[in-house]
Amino acid sequence: MLKGRHIIEPGNLSVSEIDEICSLAEQIIVDPVSFQDVCRGKILATLFFEPSTRTRLSFEAAMLHLGGTVEGFSDAASTSSTKGETLADTIRVVSSYVDVIAMRSPKEGAALLASHYSSVPVINAGDGGHYHPTQTLTDLVTIRGLRGSYEGQTVGFCGDLKFGRTVHSLAKAMSLYKGNKFIFISPEELKVPEWITEDILKPAGIEFTTAERLEDVIGELDVLYMTRVQKERFFNEQDYIRLKDSYILDKEKMRLAKKDMIVLHPLPRVNEILPEVDEDPRAAYFKQVKYGMFARMALIAKVTGCL
């Protein structure tokens, strides 16, 4: 039962609950009209203390398509936090007005803290370098929709694996399923954190390897998950400039890949996927964006008890 539940990280959901949400998303994809009024009268608050385009608009579009309404902010500078109000007090206030909260913060653990003070479900829309569970649901819906299953997949995570919360979330979620193998492709400075490999993957028996060159392993992949090198996560601009172009996907590299591999990216991209790749039928990142709205529709409907 998902009604009333906080969704802070993928571990908050069991395998059966992930399957339930993804299956509902697939039903919505097939027949969205049947779901257009299921959350009528419900209100979603979008509290975005960090800039966002896709995630915020996707949440808002999801609630509107379900027949609900939205209020919130996209800039922390317009809130009482600039006056010194604590996050706890902000959440106490907002949760008294709405039925569900989607929150993004640059601070790790902020969504978990918010859940302790909220009287309504809190959905983490990204907290620093930690987790991004609705992007993970988006990724799973996309992988199952285009690959037929999220089991038995060889997934290459490429780029910023140290700070990439979408990578951390998807790796944790896919470790719940049988037969998956991960290849982590990054420079040494941006390698996947040990808490992912030691605390999550090894106990789950997930096979994983590392590589520094995308072209050396792309031919093994069923899913290539590209990420951008995130300037906002660096303390030293020289390190960012040195690493930002470490991995660029182009037509030449795509020729080395399987014919049925899919390319995903949580977006925004900078220059890690060249526009020349967009016309390749394996480029699925814009389909992924649309699937994200359906995944969030399914999650909102479940935690608010609309379905």
Side-chain angles (χ1 to χ4, degrees):
M1 188 69 177
L2 288 165
K3 182 180 179 181
R5 292 260 296 277
H6 302 297
I7 308 298
I8 307 303
E9 52 116 329
N12 296 146
L13 297 168
S14 67
V15 169
S16 63
E17 288 167 341
I18 291 173
D19 290 344
E20 179 184 351
I21 294 166
C22 290
S23 294
L24 177 57
E26 290 167 350
Q27 292 174 43
I28 297 171
I29 290 169
V30 171
D31 185 17
V33 174
S34 294
F35 298 89
Q36 63 186 7
D37 289 316
V38 297
C39 284
R40 186 162 299 281
K42 300 291 187 180
I43 302 173
L44 164 71
T46 51
L47 310 186
F48 277 65
F49 295 91
E50 185 179 51
S52 169
T53 302
R54 276 150 299 281
T55 302
R56 182 175 61 84
L57 294 180
S58 180
F59 265 110
E60 293 179 355
M63 184 51 121
L64 294 172
H65 278 294
L66 291 168
T69 55
V70 180
E71 60 181 37
F73 56 82
S74 58
D75 182 359
S78 64
T79 74
S80 291
S81 63
T82 60
K83 303 175 184 177
E85 183 176 59
T86 64
L87 176 62
D89 282 0
T90 298
I91 295 299
R92 285 187 179 106
V93 170
V94 173
S95 66
S96 68
Y97 301 148
V98 303
D99 301 286
V100 59
I101 293 171
M103 175 181 153
R104 169 169 287 188
S105 172
K107 298 179 180 178
E108 285 86 353
L112 178 61
L113 176 64
S115 71
H116 294 320
Y117 296 96
S118 179
S119 58
V120 300
V122 173
I123 301 173
N124 183 9
D127 63 329
H130 264 188
Y131 290 116
H132 196 348
T134 62
Q135 181 64 49
T136 301
L137 291 171
T138 297
D139 299 338
L140 292 174
V141 170
T142 307
I143 291 169
R144 190 161 78 170
L146 300 180
R147 292 282 310 164
S149 174
Y150 30 66
E151 293 185 346
Q153 306 294 323
T154 297
V155 183
F157 295 98
C158 182
D160 180 359
L161 311 187
K162 180 178 181 179
F163 299 108
R165 58 193 171 201
T166 60
V167 169
H168 304 162
S169 289
L170 184 57
K172 185 167 186 176
M174 291 197 74
S175 71
L176 300 173
Y177 296 92
K178 297 178 181 178
N180 290 325
K181 175 184 176 181
F182 300 154
I183 301 178
F184 295 111
I185 309 151
S186 73
E188 177 66 22
E189 294 93 334
L190 295 175
K191 69 180 183 179
V192 68
E194 284 191 6
W195 63 269
I196 293 288
T197 56
E198 300 300 317
D199 299 343
I200 296 172
L201 303 187
K202 286 184 179 179
I206 296 292
E207 181 182 351
F208 66 91
T209 59
T210 61
E212 290 197 359
R213 283 166 43 89
L214 174 58
E215 49 266 52
D216 289 345
V217 296
I218 193 171
E220 303 175 39
L221 305 179
D222 299 310
V223 179
L224 172 57
Y225 198 89
M226 295 294 295
T227 65
R228 70 185 173 94
V229 176
Q230 303 175 82
K231 183 176 182 179
E232 62 268 30
R233 306 292 177 216
F234 280 83
F235 294 105
N236 185 315
E237 187 172 1
Q238 285 70 37
D239 285 345
Y240 167 73
I241 292 170
R242 180 170 54 87
L243 294 171
K244 67 184 179 71
D245 294 330
S246 295
Y247 299 94
I248 298 175
L249 185 64
D250 55 21
K251 281 185 175 181
E252 184 176 349
K253 292 187 181 72
M254 289 295 288
R255 279 194 282 269
L256 302 173
K258 294 178 181 179
K259 298 300 182 185
D260 61 349
M261 182 193 76
I262 61 171
V263 181
L264 303 183
H265 192 307
L267 301 180
R269 67 173 166 181
V270 183
N271 61 344
E272 61 275 7
I273 300 178
L274 296 187
E276 66 185 37
V277 178
D278 295 351
E279 301 307 314
D280 191 303
R282 295 168 291 182
Y285 29 91
F286 292 117
K287 290 181 182 177
Q288 185 183 359
V289 169
K290 192 161 188 178
Y291 284 171
M293 181 184 71
F294 296 121
R296 292 179 178 100
M297 287 175 71
L299 182 60
I300 289 169
K302 287 293 183 183
V303 300
T304 55
C306 296
L307 289 173

